[in-house]
Amino acid sequence: MGKGARLVVTLVLFVLALGGFGLGVKALLSAPPTINFTASNGQVNVTMQTVGSFGSGPHPTWVSYLIQNPQGQWVHTTIFQVPTNTKVNVTIYQFDSGSPLRNQQIGQVTGTIGNVATLNGKTFSVTNSNDPNGNGVGHTFSIPTLGVSVPLYANAGTATLCSTAPCLPTSTSYVHNTVKFSFMSPKGPGSYAWQCFVPCGLAWLFGNAGPMQTVGFMGGFMKVA
Ligand SMILES: [Cu+2]
């Protein structure tokens, strides 16, 4: 190989390496988008859904949360922002099935206003996931540092479940449970991690890896500003 050819090969390899490095950095820096909720009358309304499998993208089989933006579109993210010291009214459309809990403590509603939530309009403070006539629990919405935790009652595993996000709560094709609760956002700004505490990462060791460890699926951040 002549000197010129060697120079060309070196340059090509250099450019390829640079491109690979750039893609790596981009992958590390890219995070799911933040949905910003601004208060009206000292309150914000945050609407989410849980789906048993996202149905598309790099992880179509993964269980996931989605958040509805103020314009009404479903966004594949678990990061949202609310103002400080504001009443946060959460609605979660739960489209997934579930199972009995390994830790019954997680069946409790904690940290919400009144320590209660509503399931399809009925107030509750604890879910007995071992009830043989029940469906168990699918997921939780939990912000450990604020003591907020709400179990999301499951749909029957025998039901026709939505497996392609976004699932539409207005659709009659798929079953869902509607869980609502409110809590006060902290007085101080910060980034508060939240997650699901049901090991719902099917096919992962004890259900705790994959979507359970990935922001945008079963855990995220509530930014308070
Ligand atoms: Cu979960």
Side-chain angles (χ1 to χ4, degrees), residues 50 63-65 96 138-140 152 195-201 211-212 217-219:
T50 48
V63 60
S64 193
Y65 265 93
D96 202 4
H139 306 280
T140 71
L152 307 181
Q195 68 170 94
C196 163
F197 272 109
V198 177
C200 60
M212 284 295 279
F217 287 85
M218 273 292 134

Side-chain angles (χ1 to χ4, degrees), residues 83-113:
T84 56
N85 200 28
T86 297
K87 189 181 173 201
V88 182
N89 303 314
V90 181
T91 300
I92 302 177
Y93 300 115
Q94 208 296 89
F95 284 90
D96 202 4
S97 58
S99 57
L101 292 167
R102 290 174 205 171
N103 180 348
Q104 294 305 315
Q105 201 82 7
I106 292 169
Q108 283 187 90
V109 179
T110 62
T112 61
I113 294 174

Side-chain angles (χ1 to χ4, degrees), residues 131-165:
D131 181 355
N133 299 315
N135 300 332
V137 168
H139 306 280
T140 71
F141 174 86
S142 310
I143 312 174
T145 49
L146 302 181
V148 170
S149 190
V150 177
L152 307 181
Y153 189 67
N155 298 290
T158 51
T160 306
L161 298 168
C162 175
S163 58
T164 306

